Structure formats: C-alpha cells, structure tokens
Amino acid sequence: MAHKNILHMLTPQKHVSPFDLNMALDAGYDAVLPYAGVAMEEVTELVQDVIFSRPPDRGVRSAVFFGGNDAVLALDMIEATKKALVPPFGCNIMADPSGSYTTAAAMVACIERTLKNRHQKALKDVTIAVFGATGVVGYCAAVIAALEGARVKVVGHDGIERISKRAKEMEARFGIEVEPVDGSSDEKKTALIEDVHVIVAAARAGIQVLGKDQIQGASKLLVAADANAVPPLGIEGIDVMDDEEAIEGTSAFGIGALAVGPMKSKTEYGLLQRMIEADEPQVLDFRDAFALARTLAS
C-alpha cells in the first residue's frame, strides 16, 4: 500500500500562505492541511497528533511546516516540535516564515556568486551592511552571511537601540558576531556605506533605503542586492530584473528582487521535495536553504 505524503502547515497568523500551499502541492505532497492562528503552547499537542496517528516507520511520510511572519518565532516552533517528538515516532520539520528563509538564502547565494564571478572574492573577504535586519529576510540574510565569515553590520533605521537588541539575540543564538549601526539619517547611511563591500536592502516594501548618489559615493562597494520589488525600490539604480548588472557610476554589480525570486522558489520547492524523498526525518531551516541555494547559484 502506498503511504501518502501529508504536510501539516501551521502559522500563528490569520491565514496560511497560499504561496506555500501551492508550492507544497506542486512539489508533490498528496495533501497539505492548513492550521491558522496557532500559538506556541499548541505546537506540542498538534505535533503529537501528527506523529502518533501513524506507525513509526511511516513518520517520514508526515511533515510539519511553520509559516508566519516572524523568523525567530518559527525557529522557536521548530525547537518546540523537536521536543514534542517521542522516539521512535517522528516527522519531517521545516519552516519558511513569509518565505524569508528561502528568500534570504537565495539572496546571499546570488551575492556569493557575484562576488566570485565579478571580483574573485568570497563572503569571508567582505564587509556587508544589512538594512532591514529586524525584519524576517534581513535577519536571516545577516545570520547566513555572518555564519559564512562575513563581517556583518546590521543597520537600524530608527536608531541604535532596537537593532542592538536584535544583534545581541543573533549573537547569543548562533554564536556569531554582528555590529549594530545607527542608520537613522541619510548622512549616517552615507557614512556607513563608504566602508562596506556589499549592501543588502531588505527594508519594508515601498521604502527607498539608499539613493543613487549615495551608492555612487560608496567607493569600496562590490555588490548591492535589493529585496524590494515594490516602487520605489529599496536601492535607486538597481532594477528588479538586474542579475549581476553593472551599477551606473560604480564598480559594483546589482541584484534585483526578481532575479532572486526564481532561485527562492527553486529553493523552497527543493526543500519540500527533500522531505518527500527522505528515508529519515529532516529538520530544515534557513541554513539548509542556503546550502541548497548556493548549489543552484553556482
């Protein structure tokens, strides 16, 4: 008898993402079941219902996926799920809140590829400024880059206090070093980017983080990537379709949101398929997403 692959998709928000539902079904899941408004304290009971409803040798055919809009909460839900497992009963576990894990992974993979192709450099060779690091995509991009050895500056648009708390959280959780920086004015942002090699703009959609004059004044800049596809774009002078395109007036190359998008989708699709094809239960977060995305980018 064929055992169906079933994905239980949980989110703390009002709705489960239709994007993720479509992606999971296209990846090959036989059934994708949405659960909205899930609180942390409900995770254990739901997960144990998932694992105890099937014999241990069929646990790998069940999966739990966490969505939402909070990168850290999704990691906490993964940990709660792992604690809820009762061996030999198990299941696959994955998170991708607001697509942030796979988007950040794809973006950093594109940056890594561009550094190699255009400048013969690696992530460990550069300083990266991440704008929007309190958000889901920026947070994950900052952590991925720091784990790969980059010197990472996380920029606070509203001053130093909130971003400093986020930086301490990153450092405690992942054993990395990131530098919080005040980016609350154009003058401070201009001064900051004079000493960085890579810029990641992951601020809220429709907000311009940096203007063309600022980018052209960043003499050390090698690569700039913009996660925003909603006008005005996050970095003036980078088109949404740019993929290793020269940025006018600089020696740098730009990566636009719609160049990152296809790789993000392939990464999420690939992780979902990995769970379907696995012989042993998987636990997948943004680190696994980056490992896959960099193979897609090479």
Side-chain angles (χ1 to χ4, degrees):
M1 182 178 70
H3 303 313
K4 293 186 181 299
N5 288 291
I6 302 172
L7 180 64
H8 301 269
M9 194 166 281
L10 284 59
T11 178
Q13 293 183 286
K14 184 178 179 180
H15 301 292
V16 167
S17 165
F19 186 104
D20 295 331
L21 288 165
N22 287 349
M23 188 71 67
L25 287 167
D26 285 345
Y29 273 96
D30 298 301
V32 182
L33 308 175
Y35 305 75
V38 176
M40 176 64 79
E41 58 269 22
E42 297 174 305
V43 169
T44 296
E45 183 177 356
L46 288 168
V47 168
Q48 290 182 347
D49 267 2
V50 169
I51 64 173
F52 290 144
S53 63
R54 311 181 93 171
D57 63 349
R58 287 171 57 189
V60 74
R61 303 278 67 85
S62 297
V64 177
F65 178 105
F66 293 105
N69 62 354
D70 187 323
V72 176
L73 178 59
L75 290 173
D76 290 341
M77 286 186 163
I78 286 178
E79 290 304 311
T81 300
K82 289 162 64 176
K83 292 177 182 178
L85 300 179
V86 182
F89 295 90
C91 66
N92 291 298
I93 308 166
M94 178 179 167
D96 194 16
S98 295
S100 60
Y101 290 4
T102 48
T103 299
M107 178 173 286
V108 178
C110 287
I111 291 169
E112 181 181 55
R113 179 202 62 199
T114 305
L115 285 169
K116 179 182 178 181
N117 290 348
R118 301 294 185 170
H119 301 288
Q120 296 74 55
K121 291 185 180 295
L123 289 168
K124 64 181 177 60
D125 301 321
V126 299
T127 299
I128 300 179
V130 180
F131 293 83
T134 58
V136 283
V137 173
Y139 181 98
C140 296
V143 174
I144 291 169
L147 287 170
E148 291 301 313
R151 298 174 296 280
V152 177
K153 299 176 183 287
V154 288
V155 186
H157 72 91
D158 54 356
I160 198 68
E161 184 176 352
R162 190 160 69 104
I163 196 64
S164 293
K165 292 179 181 177
R166 204 64 154 167
K168 288 178 181 177
E169 178 186 78
M170 292 177 184
E171 292 173 348
R173 185 157 203 152
F174 300 103
I176 57 175
E177 291 185 12
V178 296
E179 179 186 351
V181 183
D182 186 350
S184 58
S185 70
D186 283 339
E187 293 76 18
K188 289 176 179 177
K189 288 187 288 187
T190 299
L192 161 66
I193 65 173
E194 288 176 355
D195 290 320
V196 303
H197 306 105
V198 176
I199 294 170
V200 172
R204 199 167 59 236
I207 294 177
Q208 186 179 99
V209 174
L210 295 166
K212 186 180 294 186
D213 290 345
Q214 290 172 302
I215 292 293
Q216 291 178 346
S219 60
K220 296 181 182 179
L221 187 64
L222 303 176
V223 181
D226 186 4
N228 182 16
V230 179
L233 303 182
I235 301 177
E236 187 180 18
I238 297 180
D239 185 77
V240 291
M241 297 299 297
D242 283 354
D243 190 3
E244 289 193 21
E245 294 295 325
I247 301 174
E248 182 182 356
T250 76
S251 300
F253 295 85
I255 300 167
L258 297 188
V260 173
M263 191 181 301
K264 173 262 182 295
S265 294
K266 289 178 183 177
T267 301
E268 182 176 353
Y269 183 90
L271 293 179
L272 289 163
Q273 279 200 320
R274 182 180 300 177
M275 294 193 293
I276 292 172
E277 296 167 358
D279 294 323
E280 297 292 335
Q282 306 288 298
V283 180
L284 306 174
D285 65 17
F286 60 82
R287 289 160 287 199
D288 304 280
F290 179 65
L292 176 56
R294 73 195 318 185
T295 67
L296 297 172
S298 62

